[in-house]
């Protein structure tokens, strides 16, 4: 049995030394499926709406709590907010961003999540919408600069892991990537 209630409250919330929240987010991704069942090399990412509405989309993210690892928090947020399960991969990075409501800097840690299952029922299905987009569409739709940067890191990492998928430039030369995988 799966619990379909999202965690609430800040009792277990982690904070940095200056009082800013530590949040963990995930970029759920998959490779596009064709109608015939085959899988392409075209990357798709899942974005969600904010609970508060407003314009723009975002990736699942939320508070990193004292009783969980960063990876567990990333997986939990993806399940609660976007209704997807999968494999949490190595951290994409850490970003400091200003809280709109508190005027202090939060720490945001982002992870990729290779989606293995998309659920029909999940805790926040009544307050959020989700949509699979291409990388370019997601970059345009995402309202947070730091999430866009994390998306760029993910794309660069996947290109390094799959060099045969890299595009040729107009002169027929293969693009040269400098890859540092941590």
């Amino acid at each position: 049995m799966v619990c379909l209630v999202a965690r609430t409250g800040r009792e277990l919330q982690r904070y940095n030394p200056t009082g800013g929240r530590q949040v963990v987010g995930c970029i759920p991704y998959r490779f596009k499926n064709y109608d015939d069942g085959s899988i392409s090399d075209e990357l798709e990412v899942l974005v969600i709406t904010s609970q508060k509405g407003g314009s723009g989309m975002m990736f699942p993210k939320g508070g990193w709590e004292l009783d969980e690892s960063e990876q567990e928090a990333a997986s939990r947020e993806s399940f609660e907010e976007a209704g997807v399960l999968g494999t949490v991969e190595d951290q994409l990075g850490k970003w400091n961003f200003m809280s709109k409501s508190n005027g202090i800097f939060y720490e945001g840690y982002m992870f990729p999540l290779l989606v293995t299952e998309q659920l029909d029922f999940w805790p926040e299905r009544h307050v959020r919408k989700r949509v699979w987009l291409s990388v370019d569409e997601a970059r345009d739709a995402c309202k947070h600069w730091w999430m866009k940067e994390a998306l760029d890191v993910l794309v660069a990492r996947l290109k390094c892991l799959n060099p045969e998928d890299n595009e040729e430039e107009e002169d027929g030369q293969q693009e040269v990537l400098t890859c540092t995988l941590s």
Side-chain angles (χ1 to χ4, degrees), residues 106-117:
Y106 285 7
E107 294 174 359
Y109 301 86
M110 291 295 288
F111 293 83
L113 177 96
L114 178 57
V115 174
T116 57
E117 187 174 359

Side-chain angles (χ1 to χ4, degrees), residues 89-93 153 157 179-182:
E89 298 173 344
D90 291 338
Q91 185 184 107
L92 296 168
V153 173
R157 180 182 293 174
C179 298
T180 54
L181 302 175
S182 50

Side-chain angles (χ1 to χ4, degrees), residues 10 13-16 18-26 52 58-64 81 93-111 142-150:
R10 301 266 165 91
Q13 174 67 57
R14 291 178 190 254
Y15 293 89
N16 66 25
T18 61
R21 288 179 65 208
Q22 293 179 315
V23 299
V24 175
C26 227
K52 299 172 186 169
M58 58 196 265
F59 296 111
K61 67 126 178 86
W64 174 21
E81 296 184 354
K94 172 186 160 188
W95 286 264
N96 293 308
F97 62 95
M98 182 70 71
S99 162
K100 289 188 295 185
S101 58
N102 298 327
I104 57 176
F105 281 97
Y106 285 7
E107 294 174 359
Y109 301 86
M110 291 295 288
F111 293 83
C142 186
K143 63 182 181 178
H144 299 298
W145 65 267
W146 60 281
M147 289 184 172
K148 292 179 185 192
E149 284 187 8

Side-chain angles (χ1 to χ4, degrees), residues 12 14 24 42 46 52-53 58-59 78 82 104 109 120 133 139 151 157 159 175:
L12 296 175
R14 291 178 190 254
V24 175
E42 183 181 343
L46 186 66
K52 299 172 186 169
M58 58 196 265
F59 296 111
S78 293
I104 57 176
Y109 301 86
D120 293 329
L133 299 175
R139 193 178 291 110
L151 178 59
R157 180 182 293 174
K159 280 185 178 181
E175 178 182 5

Side-chain angles (χ1 to χ4, degrees), residues 29-31 41-45 133-135 154-155 158:
Y29 77 94
R30 68 181 184 190
F31 294 94
D41 60 357
E42 183 181 343
L43 182 64
E44 293 182 312
V45 294
L133 299 175
S134 71
V135 169
L154 173 60
V155 169
L158 292 174

